[in-house]
Amino acid sequence: MNRRELDAAGITGPALRAAYGRCRALNARHGRTYFLATRLLPVERRCAVHALYGFARWADDIVDDLDRQEPPEERDRLLRLLEDDLAHGLRTGGGDEPVVRAVADTAARYAIDHGLFADFLVSMRSDLSVTDYPTYADLRAYMHGSAAVIGLQMLPVLGTVVDREEAAPHAAALGVAFQLTNFLRDVGEDLDRGRVYLPKDMLASHGVDQALLRWSRSTGRHDPRVRAALVEADAMIRNVYREAEPGIAMLEPRVRPCIRTAFTLYGGILDAIAADGYAVLHRRAAVPRRRRAVVAAAGLAGILRARARTRPPMPVPGAVAGTEGAPR
């Protein structure tokens, strides 16, 4: 638990502070890149980001954690319990799970559309039965709930200098770009779960199917057809980053260095994958620590410049987005 972040956000109740602390711990453990970027946010907004990430991570672990032994039917039951708990929490501000109490509080403080959480859980549930996506359009439909809504949930927390509707498509694209990056990095791990998130028709255009992927994964051997498909996936993902990038300038100046850092670090994962010869079926690519430190230092310098140019708004503990002192 980080008392400074909680105090700055105006979160005072012991139980609620503990709930936010749980979300922060999930972010720190599971989202190294995301957590590093979050630490560059204005201190009063970090708890909200931890809550959004913590809830998403909690739901994803129900569906995907390879260490869990529950059959799909039990995972579906647990996901429905979480869905019911969230619906109750969004109505009342309560919730049985700490992550639900924190995210419900964040949704109230920043007036986040409840439908975004419903769309997210729909995509999570589809992971229990859907194992591949015939086309990129099918994959993008899935990622509306699994990734685009995360960007849209973040917008009220970050604040914008333009109408939120103008920034929304770029925020959604950034969420999609980050998830596509994870999909490319985690091809091998997802295959172990029985899933392939790269479009089936794109793979087929290079003569690749699940059987070939499994052969490469199990034998440790490489195939030029697989590499060609992964190179095309890399190019496809970089196009989504280009869709997203104009949105960074639409955010409040004080949060831009954080999002720019996340943008650069996640894009760096693609560079690491390419540098490793697209060997994602055999090992997980990662941005070198030195590179992460350089990017984080650049983000910190950007924050200092932004602070010198702008006067931060007076914080209003517990304020709802759209009221005085809260982000747009």
Side-chain angles (χ1 to χ4, degrees):
M1 186 185 298
N2 187 298
R3 292 182 178 180
R4 179 167 169 262
E5 292 176 357
L6 293 164
D7 291 344
I11 299 165
T12 56
L16 192 56
R17 286 169 74 92
Y20 274 100
R22 173 65 172 146
C23 293
R24 188 182 192 276
L26 285 169
N27 193 357
R29 185 165 72 249
H30 292 289
R32 290 188 306 165
T33 298
Y34 201 61
F35 183 72
L36 176 61
T38 301
R39 295 182 68 180
L40 299 177
L41 279 174
V43 65
E44 72 277 5
R45 304 192 199 179
R46 295 176 197 169
C47 287
V49 177
H50 293 320
L52 293 171
Y53 181 90
F55 176 77
R57 183 74 249 181
W58 190 264
D60 189 65
D61 279 351
I62 290 175
V63 173
D64 270 347
D65 190 344
L66 288 173
D67 293 330
R68 300 178 72 111
Q69 301 300 315
E70 298 97 338
E73 297 79 12
E74 176 62 11
R75 294 179 187 236
D76 180 68
R77 187 186 73 83
L78 293 173
L79 201 58
R80 290 186 185 279
L81 286 175
L82 180 63
E83 187 174 23
D84 291 343
D85 194 21
L86 177 65
H88 172 74
L90 291 174
R91 287 195 308 269
T92 68
D96 294 332
E97 293 288 354
V99 294
V100 169
R101 291 195 293 273
V103 83
D105 182 72
T106 289
R109 288 170 183 265
Y110 289 94
I112 298 173
D113 180 2
H114 293 182
L116 297 174
F117 298 101
D119 289 349
F120 170 75
L121 289 170
V122 167
S123 285
M124 289 299 96
R125 182 166 292 108
S126 75
D127 275 335
L128 296 173
S129 57
V130 179
T131 59
D132 59 31
Y133 294 86
T135 68
Y136 183 53
D138 295 317
L139 182 62
R140 284 294 291 248
Y142 161 79
M143 287 191 297
H144 164 73
S146 65
V149 298
I150 305 300
L152 296 174
Q153 290 168 8
M154 286 279 291
L155 265 189
V157 177
L158 299 176
T160 61
V161 295
V162 299
D163 287 341
R164 197 175 296 164
E165 292 75 13
E166 184 180 349
H170 303 289
L174 189 59
V176 169
F178 288 170
Q179 185 168 60
L180 282 170
T181 301
N182 288 342
F183 286 163
L184 184 59
R185 180 195 63 194
D186 299 339
V187 167
E189 294 175 19
D190 288 331
L191 194 62
D192 293 342
R193 299 182 177 100
R195 299 197 207 105
V196 176
Y197 286 104
L198 301 180
K200 196 172 183 178
D201 61 349
M202 185 194 74
L203 295 174
S205 70
H206 296 279
V208 177
D209 57 15
Q210 281 207 32
L212 181 58
L213 294 175
R214 291 185 186 283
W215 170 84
S216 181
R217 174 77 166 165
S218 63
T219 64
R221 296 175 65 181
H222 299 265
D223 187 287
R225 293 169 292 178
V226 173
R227 188 183 191 282
L230 297 176
V231 169
E232 182 178 347
D234 184 339
M236 174 185 75
I237 297 167
R238 291 180 191 273
N239 283 335
V240 183
Y241 276 96
R242 283 189 280 273
E243 287 179 44
E245 187 168 17
I248 298 175
M250 299 178 184
L251 300 173
E252 286 189 6
R254 290 196 304 149
V255 307
R256 289 174 198 163
C258 164
I259 304 306
R260 174 62 67 180
T261 297
F263 182 94
T264 303
L265 287 174
Y266 263 91
I269 294 173
L270 295 179
D271 296 334
I273 290 170
D276 196 33
Y278 296 93
V280 289
L281 282 168
H282 314 299
R283 53 187 172 267
R284 183 186 245 221
V287 178
R289 287 187 178 181
R290 183 174 181 179
R291 172 63 177 159
R292 288 161 57 86
V294 169
V295 173
L300 180 59
I303 288 170
L304 296 176
R305 289 193 298 270
R307 286 177 179 172
R309 291 193 300 264
T310 63
R311 176 183 297 177
M314 293 296 293
V316 180
V320 174
T323 61
E324 184 178 355
R328 289 177 69 183

